[in-house]
Amino acid sequence: MCGIVGYSGPGNSVGPIIEGLSRLEYRGYDSAGICLKINDELQIIKKEGKLDNLKALINEQKPFSHTGIGHTRWATHGGVTTDNAHPHGNELFAVVHNGIIENAGTLKKELQAEGFVFKSQTDSEVFLVLLTKFYKQNNNTLQSIAKAFNTITGNSAFVIIEKASDKLYCLKRSAPLVVGDNKETREAFVSSDPFALIGFAPRIYFPQDAVICESIVTDIDVKINFYELDLSPSERYKFQSNAMTMDSTTKGPYEHFMLKEIHEQPSLIEKLAAYYIKNQGRQILDSLKSYRPTGWHLTACGTAWHAGLVIKNYLEQINRQSASVDIASEFRYKNPILNKGEIGLFISQSGETADTLACQELCKENGIQSFSIVNVEGSTLFRNCDQNFLIHAGVEIGVASTKAFSLQVLTGYLMSRAMEGTLDDPSLFKEIKLLSNRIGELCSNVESIKEVASEIYNKKGFIFTGRGKYFPIALEGALKLKEIAYVHAEGYAAGELKHGPIALIDEQIVNIAIVGPELFEKTISNIEEVKARKGVIVIVGPKGSSELEHLSDYYIGLDFEGLPNLSPLYVNVALQFLAYHIASLKGTDIDKPRNLAKSVTVE
Ligand code: F6R
């Protein structure tokens, strides 16, 4: 959610900032902007719309500057306009912001009453105005940053440059922020995501909340200073060498990152299984052997929440352990009952989702252990949890999550098998290999799904149904379709349809019905009910069934054989393809769907 990049060094800051923003554009693409210090003035170039609009302006002006900050926005306060685009600046400072200033409304009124004028409707400008006000009183940038930060509430990250120097300042509260440096080239960097710094900063630092970072580049060195808000030196940061590589940043032969990421799944599934069963990850899983917490609290958002629903099923059915799954934004405010001996399990691709992080904090405060299933190593969630189970998905750029879901579920399944003590059971590796092969077959044989997509893409609405372990897949299939194709879609437990939603059914409504080998007859009866009301029936079920062929208008036949536990993942990939091709026919921006951002760092 909002991408931030800052640079200070002997080179032209424009190159690394624009490259960084391009890598982060999937986090927000309502507008983009850059502020450069040129001839001792702070010059802002910003534009509503996608980053390409800003790039066009930059190509015309060809600016050169040793110090600058850039931002790609996902709007929270204030509409999508050029005025509301970041950076916000004045004669003294320029600021980029990711997050929300919760008391911005009150502060703005107070500042306006004091005579300060605002140029935008954003909460972010409140921070700039506060900073300027304090600086005019004390002439001290660090003190003014600390004071402004102490005045605001909410979770935010800020990067600040000033007219008076070439320093980069930044700080944050419960929002992602990383500082980097390159000692050889004497360059300093800041970003909301280490991904933006790959290839630029071999050394990176993760400051904790309320630590001010000050990057100073001199003729002989680059130095990062860390301060507490009382301006005493701080050691509350983590250093890491930046080992990330660039291979995930291109689409390769695929039209979209989403398609590339769907296709990556077979090999990532096998790699993850090898990592956890045979290689380094085995030790982490072995620590779960005979593990008996008194209960599990799974929390996550969106697609990761759906992964949690599948994992709950494993914990209950394989381990007979009780598990609750909550949407993080609900869990954190429901005064949950948390007892010693229970485990909080947080599922997140980014490891930066604000609501999920808040749930982890809550569990910690209540003295219960936190585990994560997470993709981004070094993310806030990763750093805050007692034990992390990495999903090793690589960078996921498509805003609609695909490969992360599969690998989250697989990791949960392997955790469950580890607790059961059956990681060495040959049937486990066999099932995973089979899953990878079946998904591989789907990837190379997607014509039939494409044909179905072409028959139904113009319909009014879509109801995805499934029972048991396929119910979370119905939810996930509907989410994927609505987010990238902008059509109304919802997921329902097949047996629940007659309790209300069946009223929606007519010939313009498509029922995407998942039929597993389990509860086969009962699921068929649910489909008959929809068919009787003239709904369009698409069945995703065991292949070669004349009954399903006869019942459906369109039939996506899959081979469920040999996948007793992992078939939900297989079905899900078929639905990923269906959503992708429907969206493609509708001509939407598949990798950057409207109104969305990849990582939701506001509550
Ligand atoms: C949907 C999607 C979102 C995320 C959700 C949680 O395709 O990507 O629903 O799953 O915002 O994000 P993470 O997993 O980063 O916590």
Side-chain angles (χ1 to χ4, degrees):
M1 182 147 293
C2 297
I4 291 179
V5 186
Y7 171 95
S8 177
N12 187 358
S13 60
V14 177
I17 292 176
I18 293 296
E19 171 60 27
L21 291 183
S22 306
R23 292 186 204 167
L24 300 188
E25 199 193 4
Y26 69 109
R27 289 172 166 258
Y29 30 84
D30 290 333
S31 59
I34 188 165
C35 179
L36 304 169
K37 196 178 156 215
I38 301 175
N39 300 330
D40 280 338
E41 296 294 332
L42 296 174
Q43 289 191 18
I44 292 176
I45 309 171
K46 55 188 185 178
K47 192 73 188 152
E48 179 188 330
K50 297 218 165 116
L51 184 62
D52 280 345
N53 299 354
L54 176 71
K55 283 184 184 164
L57 286 179
I58 287 178
N59 280 344
E60 273 168 30
Q61 300 179 19
K62 304 208 179 343
F64 186 97
S65 160
H66 295 302
T67 306
I69 48 178
H71 187 269
T72 168
R73 178 171 186 241
W74 187 82
T76 57
H77 285 58
V80 178
T81 64
T82 298
D83 281 345
N84 288 338
H86 298 218
H88 298 285
N90 55 29
E91 69 294 349
L92 292 173
F93 296 103
V95 169
V96 288
H97 171 219
N98 173 20
I100 288 185
I101 302 176
E102 285 172 353
N103 55 347
T106 322
L107 290 170
K108 189 169 176 176
K109 276 192 202 124
E110 288 169 11
L111 290 162
Q112 280 170 327
E114 290 171 38
F116 290 97
V117 176
F118 285 78
K119 295 182 229 165
S120 76
Q121 286 97 45
T122 62
D123 53 342
S124 318
E125 198 184 356
V126 170
F127 184 82
L128 170 76
V129 174
L130 281 172
L131 175 62
T132 310
K133 170 182 155 174
F134 296 136
Y135 185 81
K136 284 183 176 162
Q137 292 163 359
N138 60 24
N139 226 14
N140 182 315
T141 303
L142 282 171
Q143 248 178 43
S144 306
I145 291 174
K147 225 170 149 186
F149 192 72
N150 270 330
T151 311
I152 58 160
T153 58
N155 298 337
S156 290
F158 298 96
V159 186
I160 303 132
I161 54 172
E162 61 183 350
K163 186 183 161 174
S165 79
D166 277 316
K167 294 178 188 175
L168 285 176
Y169 301 93
C170 63
L171 80 173
K172 61 116 185 175
R173 186 184 293 122
S174 294
L177 189 68
V178 56
V179 180
D181 65 20
N182 186 332
K183 290 276 180 200
E184 271 176 34
T185 55
R186 286 185 297 108
E187 292 175 303
F189 304 87
V190 178
S191 181
S192 49
D193 188 334
F195 178 47
L197 305 189
I198 300 173
F200 292 115
R203 298 152 45 88
I204 50 180
Y205 309 81
F206 294 96
Q208 288 183 22
D209 284 356
V211 171
I212 307 179
C213 317
E214 176 193 46
S215 312
I216 308 176
V217 175
T218 68
D219 289 343
I220 50 165
D221 200 9
V222 50
K223 193 165 166 19
I224 320 279
N225 295 322
F226 299 89
Y227 303 98
E228 296 296 331
L229 291 181
D230 63 6
L231 305 191
S232 59
S234 175
E235 291 189 354
R236 290 191 304 117
Y237 62 86
K238 196 179 143 209
F239 170 75
Q240 200 177 292
S241 50
N242 193 0
M244 288 169 85
T245 57
M246 290 290 291
D247 58 349
S248 313
T249 58
T250 56
K251 281 190 270 204
Y254 300 98
E255 204 176 330
H256 296 99
F257 279 107
M258 181 180 174
L259 193 58
K260 177 188 178 205
E261 288 160 4
I262 294 174
H263 278 261
E264 279 171 9
Q265 293 177 105
S267 84
L268 287 171
I269 284 169
E270 286 191 41
K271 275 192 202 149
L272 190 74
Y275 171 78
Y276 276 123
I277 299 175
K278 298 183 174 157
N279 301 326
Q280 308 96 301
R282 178 59 189 253
Q283 216 183 345
I284 310 168
L285 281 194
D286 277 343
S287 68
L288 292 177
K289 201 165 176 189
S290 312
Y291 198 66
R292 291 285 171 272
T294 48
W296 294 80
H297 297 281
L298 280 64
T299 50
C301 302
T303 287
W305 175 63
H306 298 152
L309 293 170
V310 185
I311 295 169
K312 169 189 159 82
N313 213 44
Y314 295 139
L315 292 170
E316 289 179 346
Q317 300 310 316
I318 298 177
N319 309 102
R320 305 306 286 168
Q321 292 185 12
S322 70
S324 65
V325 192
D326 280 273
I327 293 173
S329 56
E330 291 295 316
F331 183 81
R332 62 183 292 194
Y333 294 114
K334 76 171 194 183
N335 192 12
I337 301 164
L338 300 169
N339 296 311
K340 294 245 152 42
E342 294 174 340
I343 295 280
L345 176 60
F346 308 93
I347 307 166
S348 175
Q349 188 284 124
S350 62
E352 301 295 352
T353 301
D355 285 315
T356 309
L357 293 177
C359 295
Q360 189 275 331
E361 282 284 318
L362 188 65
C363 286
K364 194 173 158 196
E365 280 160 23
N366 281 274
I368 80 164
Q369 267 202 306
S370 332
F371 286 6
S372 82
I373 294 182
V374 66
N375 191 29
V376 181
E377 190 171 3
S379 60
T380 310
L381 186 65
F382 179 91
R383 295 199 305 278
N384 291 353
C385 281
D386 301 305
Q387 179 70 272
N388 296 294
F389 297 88
L390 283 165
I391 64 168
H392 293 290
V395 181
E396 190 179 61
I397 293 185
V399 165
S401 186
T402 52
K403 60 179 179 174
F405 174 85
S406 297
L407 297 167
Q408 284 161 349
V409 171
L410 182 60
T411 303
Y413 178 55
L414 290 170
M415 288 167 71
S416 162
R417 297 291 299 251
M419 281 185 280
E420 194 194 31
T422 54
L423 281 181
D424 291 316
D425 188 336
S427 68
L428 172 65
F429 209 79
K430 207 169 142 199
E431 186 183 10
I432 295 171
K433 178 83 184 115
L434 206 56
L435 173 72
S436 156
N437 290 349
R438 297 269 161 82
I439 295 177
E441 282 159 21
L442 263 182
C443 290
S444 49
N445 199 1
V446 82
E447 278 314 306
S448 58
I449 297 182
K450 246 171 139 170
E451 265 168 47
V452 176
S454 70
E455 297 289 342
I456 60 174
Y457 77 101
N458 264 333
K459 294 288 178 193
K460 194 172 76 189
F462 295 79
I463 300 185
F464 289 68
T465 51
R467 300 185 73 124
K469 57 182 176 239
Y470 305 108
F471 169 46
I473 304 305
L475 295 174
E476 174 59 10
L479 175 63
K480 217 79 317 172
L481 183 63
K482 69 185 123 187
E483 69 184 325
I484 62 169
Y486 315 154
V487 287
H488 185 73
E490 43 188 318
Y492 258 93
E496 183 67 9
L497 224 55
K498 58 175 108 35
H499 297 285
I502 204 159
L504 291 169
I505 302 294
D506 64 22
E507 53 283 340
Q508 276 305 312
I509 300 291
V510 182
N511 177 201
I512 313 272
I514 307 168
V515 182
E518 313 84 357
L519 294 171
F520 187 85
E521 295 305 333
K522 289 196 187 303
T523 316
I524 299 275
S525 313
N526 301 139
I527 298 170
E528 296 279 12
E529 290 156 10
V530 177
K531 196 178 165 78
R533 286 154 185 91
K534 301 196 169 58
V536 179
I537 308 290
V538 176
I539 290 183
V540 184
K543 72 174 182 191
S545 156
S546 51
E547 193 176 0
L548 296 182
E549 180 92 60
H550 180 70
L551 184 61
S552 60
D553 295 296
Y554 308 101
Y555 175 30
I556 299 173
L558 301 176
D559 184 358
F560 283 66
E561 207 48 50
L563 298 174
N565 292 303
L566 295 175
S567 56
L569 289 181
Y570 175 39
V571 173
N572 190 55
V573 175
L575 298 187
Q576 290 173 352
F577 274 120
L578 188 64
Y580 175 85
H581 288 294
I582 291 178
S584 166
L585 287 159
K586 285 183 163 287
T588 59
D589 190 346
I590 291 179
D591 281 336
K592 294 181 200 131
R594 70 184 180 203
N595 306 338
L596 298 182
K598 183 68 184 163
S599 163
V600 183
T601 54
V602 294
E603 34 168 312

